[in-house]
């Protein structure tokens, strides 16, 4: 069904009022692709239906304090890239004609995504056309690169996010920085912004389909066939396979029972036997509550647009801290009845930018114009 937008923002806040005035999509409704009637199919079709586009990334590698390898994939407007590159990630000459002061869009994917995820490729190309740089940090283990430290993605990876953002800022100190995160990527940016408050070089941010409270999301999955038999099994196969592939590295952790990790039958068991002891949490509930973003949302100090679909099959309505969002004048909330998880398909044949991706571009244009005017 056509979805009227549910919008909350502080009308006394000049930036939020500016966003509401300048973003034309916020004045209309969300018209979904009529034949995609299943909420689970929104995000899946977005990833699978559209033609592959290649932003011709240039990879940069940085080493975290614990020795983990963080891979940053950069795109720019003018590039020379090899025709035969594994994963289409180039390590060849970058012909950069964009000024050093050009905006940089810092992005993060969902939990099993990386820089090749469809929404990041399409946004990278759209940003290139505007003359903006984009950069995407791949979570440890998200590419074919072997692990160099005994860890990979976990909910407490916010230290990586801080290092990622600070590195980009040091590389382009004269550029305004903007963050866009999908699913767990949005959660990471929200958690970072809440934890560090004013201590951030970011000018603005946008979060789409953030899980907010992983513990609540996890409980909402119980007893639901698709969540338990499809989503959970998909995530388990991903992480257990990665663990087995890098077992020699993980064996450095003598307080982890590797047999229990490898024999986990669901993500609860995997997190209990790996993530909980690795992050020094008391138990699974403690691990989840420690890494909520909803608990720090009132401390976010920069303009942040939050997009959420109320039929999200991954994030239940009770996980969204709507009351606290309303209390923070820096936050602009947009809710839709439909859209699924990082979906928001539109048009008869949804092979171009989705409605949410168009909103990302409108919001970024709005905030960049305002930055340069000021």
């Amino acid at each position: 069904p056509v979805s009227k937008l549910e919008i909350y923002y502080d009308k006394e806040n000049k930036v939020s009022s500016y966003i509401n005035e300048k973003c034309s999509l916020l004045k209309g409704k969300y018209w979904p692709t009529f034949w995609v009637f299943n909420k689970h199919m929104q995000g899946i079709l977005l990833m699978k239906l559209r033609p592959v586009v290649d932003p011709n990334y240039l990879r940069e590698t940085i080493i975290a304090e614990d020795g983990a390898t963080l891979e940053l994939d950069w795109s720019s407007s003018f590039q020379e890239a090899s025709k035969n590159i594994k994963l289409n990630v180039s390590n060849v000459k970058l012909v950069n004609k964009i000024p050093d002061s050009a905006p940089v869009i810092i992005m993060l994917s969902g939990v099993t995504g990386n820089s090749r995820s469809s929404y990041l490729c399409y946004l990278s190309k759209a940003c290139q056309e505007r003359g903006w740089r984009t950069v995407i940090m791949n979570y440890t283990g998200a590419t074919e690169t072997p692990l160099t430290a005994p860890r990979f993605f976990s909910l407490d990876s916010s230290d990586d996010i801080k290092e990622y953002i600070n590195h980009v800022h040091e590389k382009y100190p004269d550029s305004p920085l903007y963050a866009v995160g999908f699913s767990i990527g949005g959660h990471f940016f929200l958690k970072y912004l809440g934890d560090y408050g004013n201590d951030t070089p970011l000018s603005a941010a946008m979060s789409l389909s953030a899980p907010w409270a992983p513990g609540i999301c996890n409980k909402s999955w119980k007893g639901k066939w698709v969540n338990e038999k499809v989503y959970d099994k998909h995530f388990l196969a991903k992480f257990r396979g990665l663990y087995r592939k890098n077992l020699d590295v993980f064996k450095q952790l003598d307080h982890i029972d590797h047999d229990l990790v490898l024999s986990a039958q669901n993500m609860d068991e995997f997190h209990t036997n790996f993530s909980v002891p690795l992050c020094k949490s008391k138990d699974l509930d403690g691990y989840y509550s420690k890494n909520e973003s909803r608990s720090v949302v009132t401390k976010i100090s920069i303009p942040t647009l939050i997009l959420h679909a109320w039929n999200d099959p991954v994030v239940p309505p009770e996980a969204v801290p709507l009351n606290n969002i309303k209390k923070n004048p820096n936050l602009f909330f947009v809710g839709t009845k439909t859209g699924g998880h990082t979906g928001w398909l539109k048009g008869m044949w949804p092979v171009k930018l989705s409605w949410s991706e168009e909103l990302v571009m409108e919001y970024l244009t709005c905030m960049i114009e305002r930055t340069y005017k000021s």
Side-chain angles (χ1 to χ4, degrees):
V2 177
S3 178
K4 183 179 179 181
L5 305 187
E6 182 179 350
I7 295 176
Y8 300 105
Y9 71 97
D10 185 346
K11 294 178 175 60
E12 301 299 319
N13 184 285
K14 292 182 178 179
V15 178
S16 293
S17 297
Y18 183 81
I19 294 168
N20 189 63
E21 176 189 352
K22 294 296 183 179
C23 291
S24 63
L25 289 175
L26 298 179
K27 296 177 174 59
K29 299 177 180 179
Y30 165 54
W31 294 74
T33 299
F34 75 91
W35 54 269
V36 184
F37 53 86
N38 185 295
K39 62 185 179 181
H40 299 282
M41 296 303 295
Q42 281 269 355
I44 295 173
L45 287 177
L46 183 73
M47 298 290 289
K48 303 298 184 182
L49 191 64
R50 296 191 293 190
V52 175
V53 298
D54 185 3
N56 288 325
Y57 294 122
L58 179 74
R59 177 158 293 177
E60 178 186 14
T61 299
I62 60 177
I63 304 300
E65 289 186 7
D66 64 353
T69 299
L70 304 180
E71 295 176 315
L72 277 55
D73 285 342
W74 293 84
S75 68
S76 200
S77 283
F78 304 96
Q79 302 182 350
E80 293 177 357
S82 168
K83 298 296 184 182
N84 299 303
I85 303 168
K86 191 174 184 180
L87 290 177
N88 290 319
V89 177
S90 76
N91 57 1
V92 294
K93 182 181 178 182
L94 178 71
V95 180
N96 189 350
K97 297 182 180 179
I98 294 181
D100 285 349
S101 59
V104 180
I105 315 304
I106 302 174
M107 298 193 283
L108 287 172
S109 73
V111 59
T112 59
N114 56 32
S115 62
R116 303 309 308 177
S117 295
S118 178
Y119 46 84
L120 295 182
C121 289
Y122 271 76
L123 281 176
S124 291
K125 295 289 284 187
C127 289
Q128 287 174 357
E129 293 171 2
R130 302 288 180 92
W132 307 336
R133 284 188 183 85
T134 65
V135 59
I136 299 141
M137 184 187 78
N138 296 294
Y139 305 123
T140 51
T143 67
E144 296 297 317
T145 302
L147 298 185
T148 55
R151 68 170 174 91
F152 42 59
F153 158 83
S154 65
L155 288 173
D156 73 336
S157 297
S158 53
D159 284 345
D160 285 347
I161 310 309
K162 182 182 180 183
E163 188 164 353
Y164 170 36
I165 293 171
N166 287 344
H167 175 79
V168 174
H169 181 50
E170 291 171 6
K171 194 177 185 74
Y172 291 102
D174 297 325
S175 295
L177 309 181
Y178 307 89
V180 178
F182 290 80
S183 188
I184 199 70
H187 167 82
F188 279 143
F189 280 134
L190 292 168
K191 182 75 164 60
Y192 159 82
L193 290 170
D195 284 344
Y196 293 100
N198 290 313
D199 184 21
T200 177
L202 294 177
S203 295
M206 181 170 176
S207 168
L208 302 89
S209 301
W212 295 99
I216 294 177
C217 296
N218 181 55
K219 289 178 182 177
S220 76
W221 286 26
K222 305 303 181 187
K224 297 178 180 178
W225 186 89
V226 173
N227 296 69
E228 290 188 337
K229 302 301 182 182
V230 179
Y231 295 144
D232 193 83
K233 296 301 182 185
H234 169 70
F235 294 146
L236 181 64
K238 168 87 173 182
F239 289 112
R240 199 169 57 183
L242 182 62
Y243 197 94
R244 182 176 289 107
K245 182 179 178 180
N246 293 274
L247 186 57
D248 288 343
V249 178
F250 285 114
K251 282 185 176 179
Q252 299 175 33
L253 304 172
D254 53 15
H255 63 294
I256 301 291
D257 189 323
H258 306 290
D259 290 334
L260 287 178
V261 175
L262 291 172
S263 62
Q265 297 301 300
N266 52 55
M267 285 304 295
D268 275 359
E269 291 183 10
F270 185 88
H271 283 314
T272 297
N273 293 304
F274 178 70
S275 304
V276 169
L278 183 69
C279 301
K280 300 178 181 178
S281 297
K282 181 180 179 181
D283 51 28
L284 189 58
D285 287 340
Y287 170 70
Y288 284 142
S289 62
K290 175 185 176 183
N291 294 295
E292 288 187 350
S293 56
R294 70 171 188 164
S295 60
V296 295
V297 70
T298 57
K299 300 177 182 178
I300 295 175
S301 64
I302 65 170
T304 302
L305 180 63
I306 297 164
L307 180 60
H308 183 77
W310 292 117
N311 74 334
D312 190 316
V314 176
V315 185
E318 60 268 26
V320 182
L322 197 55
N323 288 334
N324 282 340
I325 289 173
K326 293 178 182 179
K327 292 176 183 177
N328 188 332
N330 298 305
L331 304 183
F332 195 113
F333 178 85
V334 180
T336 59
K337 289 182 180 179
T338 59
H341 189 73
T342 67
W344 291 284
L345 301 178
K346 71 177 185 68
M348 177 70 74
W349 192 245
V351 294
K352 297 183 179 180
L353 287 180
S354 68
W355 181 85
S356 60
E357 290 162 353
E358 288 186 344
L359 182 58
V360 170
M361 294 305 295
E362 269 201 353
Y363 174 68
L364 289 174
T365 299
C366 168
M367 299 310 300
I368 289 170
E369 287 179 351
R370 193 175 192 281
T371 297
Y372 282 108
K373 284 181 181 179
S374 61

